[in-house]
Amino acid sequence: MKLSSKRIIFSVLCTIFFLCSLSVYLEDENVSKGAELITEEVKAGKLLFQDYNCTSCHQIFGLGGYMGPDLTNCMSAEGGPQRAEIWLRNGSQKMPNMGLSDEEINNLMAFLAYIDKSGTSPVREFKFSTLGTVDVKHY
Ligand code: HEC
């Protein structure tokens, strides 16, 4: 390769490098991290979730008790908020009716809706090989 074409390639790469570096520094620092989603209702709902010890039976992002289902995405699951409200209002044979007021139900639902927007649980599904180990080809 001729020296001049090497110089051209080198200077193009340098220009790209500087443009990429510049774009990092010019990025908008005010990108939302989701703080605006945390309303007063969501905060109250979180405290109720702790007071009533819902985690003793339910998980959020896989953490918590295993008697009830994971609630991370229950608000966007089939049936959505109406389904969740029925459980909160009445309980079931397995979930106790805690005599929650309308306001408490509203706040708990706001908290559950907030969690739903924060991610997906379980994060991914694993496939297992016939030997019972995780099949690394499906990562
Ligand atoms: C004693 C254990 C227990 C406690 C405490 C409990 N739950 Fe449950 N919950 C369950 C079980 C079990 C189910 C599944 C109901 C069924 O299959 O009959 C359930 C179902 C639900 C559902 C419906 C989920 C779906 O399938 O979409 C919601 C929402 C829910 N619970 C919210 C709560 C909240 C909020 C609290 C706290 C105020 C709470 N639960 C406390 C056991 C519990």
Side-chain angles (χ1 to χ4, degrees):
M1 199 185 283
K2 273 203 266 164
L3 187 65
S4 61
S5 51
K6 278 185 187 169
R7 280 195 183 134
I8 291 172
I9 292 172
F10 181 71
S11 53
V12 167
L13 287 175
C14 281
T15 316
I16 293 172
F17 171 77
F18 282 114
L19 286 177
C20 286
S21 304
L22 195 68
S23 75
V24 171
Y25 288 103
L26 294 179
E27 248 174 36
D28 187 4
E29 286 175 13
N30 300 321
V31 175
S32 161
K33 294 196 176 85
E36 73 282 353
L37 298 175
I38 305 174
T39 60
E40 290 305 313
E41 285 180 332
V42 171
K43 285 186 205 162
K46 179 176 184 252
L47 292 179
L48 287 168
F49 199 83
Q50 291 169 340
D51 280 351
Y52 284 102
N53 207 6
C54 310
T55 23
S56 62
C57 296
H58 290 284
Q59 314 102 61
I60 289 178
F61 284 112
L63 295 177
Y66 285 91
M67 192 180 160
D70 189 312
L71 296 181
T72 317
N73 303 116
C74 74
M75 293 300 257
S76 58
E78 206 183 325
Q82 288 91 343
R83 189 185 141 92
E85 188 179 346
I86 290 170
W87 253 284
L88 290 173
R89 212 169 272 290
N90 310 301
S92 73
Q93 281 181 322
K94 294 190 221 151
M95 175 167 155
N97 179 349
M98 292 178 228
L100 301 166
S101 69
D102 284 355
E103 194 189 355
E104 286 178 318
I105 291 175
N106 257 348
N107 291 341
L108 280 166
M109 301 232 304
F111 176 60
L112 292 175
Y114 163 72
I115 290 171
D116 194 8
K117 284 182 210 139
S118 70
T120 310
S121 181
V123 176
R124 61 182 167 193
E125 287 178 4
F126 294 100
K127 296 224 171 175
F128 294 98
S129 72
T130 40
L131 295 174
T133 52
V134 172
D135 194 347
V136 283
K137 273 180 272 163
H138 289 95
Y139 268 113

